[in-house]
Amino acid sequence: MPDPQPSRRELNKAATRDAIAGAALEFLRSGDLNSFTVDDVAVAAGVSRRTFFNYFSSVEAAVASFTQNYLDQVIVELEARPTDEPVLESAQIALSAVGSARNLAILAETFALTQDPQLGRFQLQAWEECSLKITEVARHRLPPGTDELYLYALVGAVTGSCRAAFQVWFQKHGTNITEESLADLRGFLDSTISHIRTGFSN
């Protein structure tokens, strides 16, 4: 059965969340983290300070939400793959299938803009939460009784290699977000899973 359509209330909440996150990103584009406050972001988003904290715990969390949203899309794609498909193959296809060019561009930009340790901590948290979700997906796809060490090592390899792909991309392109640099990022994400699938044999 098709998923039920979101209610108007759910749509309004999503729009408010997006407005807050977008305002935080705009401030980060024009200055460092210490150059603006929660109040500044709330005013720019057209909401109250109280509303801001109904959605995010901090400005850093608002910016990191772009990473969280993208990774959640990866999980949705992963869950939609055939259950008899090898996990690494599913992960590789899910990564290549996710998101529009715009979403990938925003994800790449937020990665480039959040090299500050304070912001990076929230990015790391988003990846850790993604790892937990992938672990549950993999647990239901692998044969019953699969060793827990194998499971966690497999998921750690997938998420760690994806973060490595972003790091290599950033070292090469920095804050240069173009069609060419995004094509490079997609290539890195595809290649990093290929390395795992082949056992780093080359």
Side-chain angles (χ1 to χ4, degrees):
M1 294 181 62
D3 293 334
Q5 293 297 311
S7 66
R8 181 176 296 276
R9 181 172 182 272
E10 290 171 329
L11 291 172
N12 288 339
K13 288 180 66 176
T16 299
R17 180 182 176 87
D18 289 346
I20 296 171
L25 180 58
E26 281 298 326
F27 275 110
L28 190 60
R29 283 167 172 161
S30 58
D32 62 34
L33 186 61
N34 296 320
S35 65
F36 60 96
T37 66
V38 164
D39 290 325
D40 293 328
V41 173
V43 169
V47 301
S48 67
R49 178 183 176 88
R50 179 178 179 180
T51 298
F52 177 100
F53 285 114
N54 284 339
Y55 289 87
F56 298 108
S57 61
S58 64
V59 169
E60 296 92 331
V63 174
S65 69
F66 289 102
T67 300
Q68 186 68 64
N69 292 344
Y70 189 88
L71 295 177
D72 283 345
Q73 292 175 34
V74 173
I75 300 297
V76 170
E77 291 288 342
L78 185 59
E79 290 178 326
R81 300 303 306 164
T83 56
D84 59 347
E85 187 174 70
V87 173
L88 287 176
E89 182 178 346
S90 294
Q92 191 168 19
I93 293 172
L95 281 167
S96 64
V98 163
S100 64
R102 176 182 178 276
N103 289 340
L104 185 62
I106 292 176
L107 177 61
E109 182 181 14
T110 55
F111 184 90
L113 292 173
T114 54
Q115 296 303 299
D116 176 276
Q118 189 173 348
L119 283 163
R121 178 168 60 91
F122 285 84
Q123 293 281 15
L124 180 59
Q125 182 178 337
W127 282 96
E128 289 175 346
E129 290 176 1
C130 177
S131 294
L132 294 176
K133 294 175 183 178
I134 293 178
T135 299
E136 290 310 304
V137 174
R139 192 187 302 279
H140 290 95
R141 287 172 173 267
L142 294 171
T146 295
D147 181 69
E148 286 289 289
L149 178 59
Y150 178 92
L151 172 64
Y152 281 99
L154 177 65
V155 174
V158 169
T159 56
S161 67
C162 288
R163 289 180 58 211
F166 274 93
Q167 191 61 51
V168 170
W169 170 84
F170 176 71
Q171 290 172 357
K172 181 177 180 180
H173 295 285
T175 57
N176 182 34
I177 312 296
T178 64
E179 289 185 8
E180 290 76 18
S181 72
L182 292 177
D184 247 3
L185 178 54
R186 288 190 185 278
F188 288 146
L189 288 169
D190 184 69
S191 296
T192 195
I193 301 298
S194 292
H195 285 317
I196 302 174
R197 293 181 66 184
T198 59
F200 292 92
S201 60
N202 53 4

